[in-house]
Amino acid sequence: MSFDLPRNVILPVDEVDVRLDPNPHPFERDNQAAIAENWRREMDAKPALYDGTVVLLSALAYRDNRLVGRCHAVRYSTFMLWRKNRELSGAEHAYAHAVLVAGDNALVAIRMGSHTVNAGRVYFAAGSFEPIDFRDGIVDVDFNMIREVSEETGIDLSAARRGPRYHALSTPSGTVIFRRYHVAESAVEVARRISAFVAAESEPEIDGPVVIRNAVDLPDGLMGHMKPLIEWHFSGEQD
């Protein structure tokens, strides 16, 4: 199967069947020394980094509005080396975005904290899939979305109205799976709640909220994959 899906186009997705393979990812297995040396340099630059567990894909395909794939648990240090060797690694990254839509149709994103790998970058609250996000070996995308938004912003989306289907955008840097989550509060109120949560945290992961009200006036630091998602939302595309 390898990697077989259209690139740089938003795809409708009715089902995500990405399974966790218990075997080591070949990239991690074959690059132990390089991973350790790169991690030493990363830690010298950002000592707050934590070598936890995330997942990397070894296969992903798009078939009949379904994403079908295989992934493996790897150390975060492996992920950090992979980021520098994407084209040669035989691995790819998939992650999820809860597209947070306020009651006034504005989008609420976040800006990452200065101690993080993506310091200053703007995107929807998110994180890589982790083993905890899998149910019976299959990734639970909504569990990951709700968990990451709660951890980073304090906003609980478990009761929010969800778009009826996922969408996906695959680029050379990875595949983002996204879905609208609608809340009743205005963007100003959602941002106020996030700011209060960040202020109360001893080590917040984010600097704060970023409100996006149209597809033209975009914030500095916006991650490259975000612009198509924002344009998709404000174009009036239905869920």
Side-chain angles (χ1 to χ4, degrees), residues 6-235:
R7 305 291 193 180
N8 301 309
V9 59
I10 291 178
L11 305 168
V13 177
D14 294 324
E15 181 183 355
V16 179
D17 185 0
V18 174
R19 297 174 182 258
L20 187 61
D21 188 326
N23 295 305
H25 196 294
F27 180 76
E28 184 168 76
R29 181 194 63 208
D30 297 341
N31 293 278
Q32 291 293 317
I35 291 167
E37 175 57 24
N38 183 69
W39 185 244
R40 183 189 64 78
R41 293 194 295 267
E42 297 286 357
M43 287 294 290
D44 285 345
K46 292 187 179 292
L49 293 178
Y50 171 65
D51 198 10
T53 303
V54 296
V55 304
L56 273 180
L57 294 165
S58 58
L60 187 65
Y62 182 67
R63 300 280 188 274
D64 300 321
N65 287 10
R66 299 171 66 240
L67 283 176
V68 182
R70 179 178 64 249
C71 62
H72 310 251
V74 301
R75 300 189 307 276
Y76 190 65
S77 52
T78 300
F79 177 80
M80 292 297 289
L81 181 66
W82 167 82
R83 281 164 54 109
K84 301 175 180 178
N85 299 272
R86 298 173 196 260
E87 296 80 8
L88 304 175
S89 65
E92 290 196 11
H93 184 222
Y95 53 100
H97 275 345
V99 178
L100 179 50
V101 184
D104 51 9
N105 202 44
L107 301 175
V108 184
I110 52 91
R111 188 180 301 278
M112 293 301 293
S114 59
H115 62 289
T116 66
V117 170
N118 291 322
R121 305 307 299 271
V122 174
Y123 48 93
F124 297 114
S128 297
F129 295 133
E130 301 176 14
I132 194 176
D133 297 319
F134 288 75
R135 299 289 177 269
D136 298 322
I138 302 175
V139 70
D140 185 336
V141 178
D142 288 287
F143 179 86
N144 169 269
M145 291 175 174
I146 292 168
R147 177 178 65 80
E148 290 288 351
V149 170
S150 176
E151 290 176 0
E152 294 184 4
T153 71
I155 301 294
D156 180 6
L157 293 180
S158 59
R161 178 170 64 87
R162 307 175 190 179
R165 69 177 357 168
Y166 305 108
H167 289 77
L169 173 66
S170 187
T171 71
S173 64
T175 297
V176 57
I177 304 165
F178 58 98
R179 184 180 215 167
R180 285 188 180 106
Y181 275 72
H182 299 265
V183 297
E185 297 92 341
S186 69
V188 169
E189 174 59 18
V190 175
R192 184 199 65 75
R193 290 173 57 194
I194 294 173
S195 295
F197 175 81
V198 171
E201 289 281 282
S202 58
E203 296 181 356
E205 192 170 352
I206 68 172
D207 275 350
V210 177
V211 175
I212 302 170
R213 296 193 177 277
N214 57 64
V216 178
D217 185 18
L218 299 177
D220 293 336
L222 191 72
M223 290 287 277
H225 70 273
M226 285 286 290
K227 190 171 186 290
L229 274 61
I230 294 166
E231 291 174 342
W232 170 83
H233 171 72
F234 286 111
S235 71

